[in-house]
Amino acid sequence: MGSNQYGDLLKLFNKCGLDLIDASTSALNTLEVDQRKFQVNLQKYINEKKHLLPNLIEQIKNYLDDDDNFVMSLLPCKNANDSVSSHSSFQDNVLKLLLELDELQNELFDYLIEKTVSICETSDDLSAVRDILNMKVNLLTYTINQFRYQPKIVDPESLCKKLIDLIKMVSSSFVKKELISCFPDILSDSSHDCVSSVLEELLDDLELLNTTLDTLSNLKFKAGNTMSIVEKLFDKYEIIDQADFAALCKFIIKASVSLNSKDLLNRLRLKLSFEDVESEKARFMIFDTIREFFQISNSLTELYLGLINQLLLDNQTKANETNVQLKPFDIIAFSVLYTMTQQFKNVDKIFKQLLKCLSLSSLKRLFILTFKLGDSLMRELFV
């Protein structure tokens, strides 16, 4: 490892309670004290030697420039012996321990961004995997994970802007997806809107669509930004892959509830057609997504039943015209709502009123769709 080259850093960390092990020995870095105690000791050094902070950061970067050192810094540290107070024989990795110190965080994040670019330039997604201590270590995944699992990020908006630049810079879809997935873990609730326009632009890349939608579903935006994203999804609906329909449903349902919008929920209800979904797996994923939302969200149940009541009322004011249509979304919704005992009487009443409004052709189509959906579910669940 060239201990002379990193001598000062090794001595400092050892004094604070962490032994950086020679990577060639095939052993993990070792904590002689609890990991929080190591951080307290290092923080005390930083506070007392603020003038040496730039030098410390440079030493850490030089140490990480060695590929073997960098890989070992991504792996969990082990405890030196059982007397160390911890819940596990393994603790956080070296990089995470350092990133949790405010004075080091921004510089190390910048270093990791540069490191990600370097790995992308010198290897593809598969060749970035290293065999270390009988573990398959994907350098890209392990490196990007350092952005995600931090209890506190000093400047989350600045970090996200840098990651956005990184997304635009790299060509690997795998890396782009990993980075996109980081945003919910980095941003506080009040900062979500800072990435809305960028994520909306990424919807143009259909290869990234599922990951982008999943990330969007885990963020909360202002009404205007939410509607802008929704309109884009409806505009692209015809070219979206069937495998991505479940993620699309998830985002639009959440948006409907968030905005308390019956109109938005009705647009999804009218748009979603299982006749266009050939894949049984895709049909099941759509069903599962809608089912889960109805089971966990009373707000969705109230919004949906209010929508159906409104449609029935509108139908009655049109001289008994039978303009109400039963859609695949309704079949899924009512199949779930009928299992919710607290809603049974109300659901049963509304569903019977809905059936009375259907024409014979609509009833025939209903049975066909029901059997089609049912066959798909049985295959997924029991085959």
Side-chain angles (χ1 to χ4, degrees), residues 86-127:
S86 70
H87 299 291
S88 169
S89 58
F90 295 99
Q91 300 196 36
D92 290 335
N93 62 54
V94 171
L95 272 165
K96 189 174 190 303
L97 294 174
L98 298 178
L99 284 166
E100 289 182 8
L101 301 183
D102 290 356
E103 292 85 352
L104 303 179
Q105 190 179 93
N106 286 336
E107 290 280 355
L108 289 181
F109 274 150
D110 288 346
Y111 179 86
L112 289 174
I113 289 172
E114 293 175 3
K115 196 73 174 179
T116 302
V117 173
S118 175
I119 296 172
C120 287
E121 289 176 345
T122 57
S123 59
D124 56 32
D125 301 339
L126 294 176
S127 62

Side-chain angles (χ1 to χ4, degrees), residues 1-8 10:
M1 187 172 65
S3 57
N4 291 334
Q5 183 179 353
Y6 316 117
D8 291 342
L10 299 182

